Amino acid sequence: MSKELTKEGKFNYISAGEGTTLVVLHGLMGGLSNFEALFNYFPTHGYKVVIPELPIYELPLIKTNVGNLAKFLKEFIDHLGEEEVILAGNSLGGHIGLVFTKMFPEHVKALVLTGSSGLYESGMGESYPKRGDYEYIKKKAEGVFYDPKVATKEMVDEVYNTVNDRNKLIRTLAIAKSAIRHNMAKDITNITVPSCIIWGKDDIVTPPDVAEDFHRLLPNSSLYWIEKCGHAAMMEHPDTFNQLLHEWMKQEEL
């Protein structure tokens, strides 16, 4: 990604474009680069894209949970001076977007979920690998995708280093436990903003049934499938993801 990181106080982020603001939220083991194709596409189509670094490893341990990450997001959006944004999140990022929308609905124009946590909790802990040898971590990282080759050596190295860093591991597990506790099933029936659900048909982290449940529970939602696709559709099929999202945005006049 060519855009340099902007650092303003406790906020680090990249941004590009002008127009309706799309704030993008990465997952627990994800980073800003996961949305490279989205970041390059939407600023050329009339949108401002902003991707913050979430302080997963910086919060005090007692405050390392989904709710406090949603509050951090509120501070960040206030810092940007934005009144209303479209929120898009993958995995934990989708979960943070849901909690934020519950807490601050007046600031959310629309919601985009892909491979989001928030409903399917029985397998959440397993999706965040604990300490292990390199080959174990490599296999877990590859399992996130339908095509294991999407898990580059750089990506595997980053996950391996994270789970073998005691500080990061403790916070990773704290967030995973928080996600398990913070089930959104009873809350999202009250989320009425337009919601776009884009899901990989072969997602084994948050399986297709999870997308069906989100679609059933979110009153104003549209569901789109991507074939031969795992947990991170915006990485594995970036062009299809962007096309589906853009068409939905135009349909919703966003």
Side-chain angles (χ1 to χ4, degrees), residues 158-191:
E158 189 172 338
V159 174
Y160 178 78
N161 291 334
T162 295
V163 300
N164 283 283
D165 178 314
R166 186 173 181 275
N167 171 60
K168 290 184 176 181
L169 177 65
I170 289 171
R171 282 163 173 75
T172 297
L173 295 176
I175 287 287
K177 289 175 182 175
S178 168
I180 291 167
R181 290 193 304 269
H182 210 131
N183 189 287
M184 299 293 293
K186 292 180 180 177
D187 298 314
I188 62 176
T189 54
N190 298 316
I191 292 177

Side-chain angles (χ1 to χ4, degrees), residues 41-42 196-199 223-227 233 237-251:
Y41 177 88
F42 281 95
C196 179
I197 304 163
I198 303 177
W199 222 265
L223 173 59
Y224 304 94
W225 297 107
I226 299 181
E227 301 285 343
H237 293 279
D239 293 341
T240 303
F241 183 91
N242 288 340
Q243 182 182 4
L244 288 172
L245 179 54
H246 195 195
E247 286 299 319
W248 175 80
M249 286 174 157
K250 287 191 287 188
Q251 179 183 305

Side-chain angles (χ1 to χ4, degrees), residues 8 10 21 70:
E8 295 169 350
K10 65 180 180 180
T21 300

Side-chain angles (χ1 to χ4, degrees), residues 1 54 67 82 101 111 115 118 142-143 188 254:
M1 299 174 75
L54 298 172
E82 298 285 352
T101 305
L111 190 59
E142 289 175 344
I188 62 176
L254 296 167

Side-chain angles (χ1 to χ4, degrees), residues 1-231:
M1 299 174 75
S2 58
K3 196 72 176 178
E4 287 187 14
L5 195 67
T6 299
K7 299 184 178 185
E8 295 169 350
K10 65 180 180 180
F11 304 115
N12 300 326
Y13 63 97
I14 54 174
S15 66
E18 294 181 359
T20 300
T21 300
L22 175 62
V23 175
V24 181
L25 306 170
H26 63 78
L28 180 51
M29 289 290 181
L32 309 192
S33 62
N34 293 13
F35 294 92
E36 181 173 6
L38 181 152
F39 186 77
N40 291 333
Y41 177 88
F42 281 95
T44 65
H45 290 80
Y47 295 89
K48 177 183 178 182
V49 178
V50 184
I51 313 180
E53 285 185 346
L54 298 172
I56 290 168
Y57 308 123
E58 286 75 44
L59 291 174
L61 186 57
I62 196 169
K63 293 188 175 182
T64 302
N65 56 54
V66 179
N68 278 315
L69 288 171
K71 290 175 183 175
F72 170 86
L73 177 59
K74 172 65 163 61
E75 292 179 29
F76 176 66
I77 289 172
D78 287 347
H79 173 77
L80 294 177
E82 298 285 352
E83 287 295 320
E84 198 177 33
V85 302
I86 301 170
L87 285 180
N90 171 241
S91 199
L92 175 70
H95 200 159
I96 294 166
L98 287 164
V99 175
F100 180 93
T101 305
K102 176 195 171 185
M103 295 170 70
F104 311 106
E106 68 277 12
H107 294 296
V108 182
K109 186 186 291 280
L111 190 59
V112 182
L113 303 174
T114 182
S116 177
S117 59
L119 290 181
Y120 178 69
E121 315 305 341
S122 61
M124 285 293 294
E126 181 63 19
S127 67
Y128 303 120
K130 301 172 185 176
R131 287 174 191 260
D133 62 31
Y134 188 85
E135 284 305 311
Y136 170 80
I137 298 298
K138 181 171 182 282
K139 184 178 178 183
K140 296 297 291 184
E142 289 175 344
V144 170
F145 304 101
Y146 176 82
D147 179 0
K149 292 193 291 293
V150 178
T152 61
K153 184 180 184 303
E154 181 183 19
M155 189 185 304
V156 175
D157 288 348
E158 189 172 338
V159 174
Y160 178 78
N161 291 334
T162 295
V163 300
N164 283 283
D165 178 314
R166 186 173 181 275
N167 171 60
K168 290 184 176 181
L169 177 65
I170 289 171
R171 282 163 173 75
T172 297
L173 295 176
I175 287 287
K177 289 175 182 175
S178 168
I180 291 167
R181 290 193 304 269
H182 210 131
N183 189 287
M184 299 293 293
K186 292 180 180 177
D187 298 314
I188 62 176
T189 54
N190 298 316
I191 292 177
T192 58
V193 297
S195 301
C196 179
I197 304 163
I198 303 177
W199 222 265
K201 267 288 193 181
D202 301 278
D203 187 344
I204 63 171
V205 180
T206 47
D209 285 353
V210 182
E212 297 279 10
D213 286 342
F214 273 122
H215 184 39
R216 176 173 54 84
L217 292 169
L218 284 163
N220 189 10
S221 63
S222 301
L223 173 59
Y224 304 94
W225 297 107
I226 299 181
E227 301 285 343
K228 297 183 178 179
C229 181
H231 186 56

